[in-house]
Amino acid sequence: MASKLLRSTSKSLLARQSLPPCILAHQSALCRSSSSAVSTTTESSSAAKFTPTHTVPSSNTNRPDWNRAVSEAEKIVGYPTSFLSLRWLLSDEIANVALHLRKLVGSNHPLLKTAKSLLYNGRNNMQAWGLIVLLISKAAGHLNVDEMEEDKAAGVLHSQRALAEVTEMIRTSHLVHKGIVNITPGLYSEPVVLNDMTFGNKIALLSGDYLLSNSCSELAALRNQHLVELMSGAVRDLTESEFLGRRDLQNNPLPPQFLTTKTSPDDSNQIMESLDELPMTPALADWTTRNVLSAGSLLGKSCKGTLKLAGQDAELQEQGYQFGKHLALAWQACLDLEPFTSNYAPGTIFNLTSAPVMFHLEQEKSDELLNEINKGTESVTNIDYKKVYNIVSKGPGMRLTKQLQKQHSQQAMKVLQVFKESDARTALSNIIVAMGSI
């Protein structure tokens, strides 16, 4: 009865496009519940042999500027982006997943960390991707579209709203699937731990598949073959990104071989001082390829697809792709900097293919850092991350990554100029500026 009531409430909310206090309170309760579960998991993590490897410390000091920019942008498109996920958050299937997640408390399965990151607001929240798709939709406008298709209050099409939701669900399903643990023989000697990890994998696999299948269903309902091909390419790129380069046994990425040996291609020694644009060295080329596949492709093709739905010409659609790609790369450079812009928290594991680490390996060739990173061939948990942090934070990687973030932000800003001046364009500019202030 309660489930049917919630689903009925969700449908009426979709029609009114507003969030009453009771639903907001429900979401807050979900977040508090998730926070409590993950907190309990962290306290008991010493009992487990697996440590999640995608944790990034957050910077509370910079959140207000980012949150203000996102909050103002949400008002322009008619509703908060968290509303896009309301439909499946209140569904029976997701309710069952939430119940099963409680069984994982204490197991330290990475799926719990993923759930927390998806529920909490902040610049790591993937719900902002749907917001960007809606903003670029409104900034561009639409041509020769049936009036019944238009949401006149927000200035976007109903099909564009659906695409924004598809984008978020594809991204979310990808993150959930990344939480699957590779259970090799002998990895967990205790049967209880093995059962918990196996059960967590089943939940991660099925819930990720549920989101992906729902996104495919909504995409097909738009009845646009070109859009389906475009977004299918984005899903393909996401998958390919998980098989690119060296990996440990848990599929965590490691820097390419040419960066972890004393010999490297000659063009890696290009001077990177006082340049407006960084030269495309092997390290930068590798970083760019990884992140275009894992982030830039989805956001870029979503922006391109929403302009296709609006009836815009091919040239403007390509501009939309370039904007989404550069914004995603600037976003990723910003996230790569985050572990090195605050005091290191003991036990924190960060991405070894992040821009600061890659740049440092290419520029310095420190024997100490090379030897430390090469310890992670079997598992990145064998690496002393505090030592890596101390070495990288004192090298050129930080400066070059800031330059990289600025470069992609400027390119995204440049693309924005092709759109006429509007509140939506201003909101997108504010989001880019907020990233740069981090």
Side-chain angles (χ1 to χ4, degrees), residues 199-255:
F199 181 74
N201 278 358
K202 292 178 180 179
I203 298 300
L205 179 63
L206 294 175
S207 56
D209 285 352
Y210 169 75
L211 293 174
L212 187 59
S213 61
N214 268 11
S215 67
C216 292
S217 177
E218 288 199 24
L219 188 61
L222 296 178
R223 298 185 178 277
N224 189 313
Q225 182 178 350
H226 295 294
L227 183 63
V228 171
E229 291 176 358
L230 190 66
M231 298 306 293
S232 297
V235 175
R236 176 204 61 208
D237 292 341
L238 282 174
T239 305
E240 185 179 346
S241 70
E242 294 302 315
F243 295 90
L244 189 67
R246 293 199 306 158
R247 304 267 166 169
D248 73 352
L249 296 180
Q250 288 297 334
N251 203 46
N252 295 298
L254 293 167

Side-chain angles (χ1 to χ4, degrees), residues 420-436:
K420 63 182 181 181
E421 188 174 349
S422 64
D423 290 342
R425 194 184 84 169
T426 301
L428 287 169
S429 299
N430 290 340
I431 287 175
I432 296 173
V433 171
M435 279 195 298

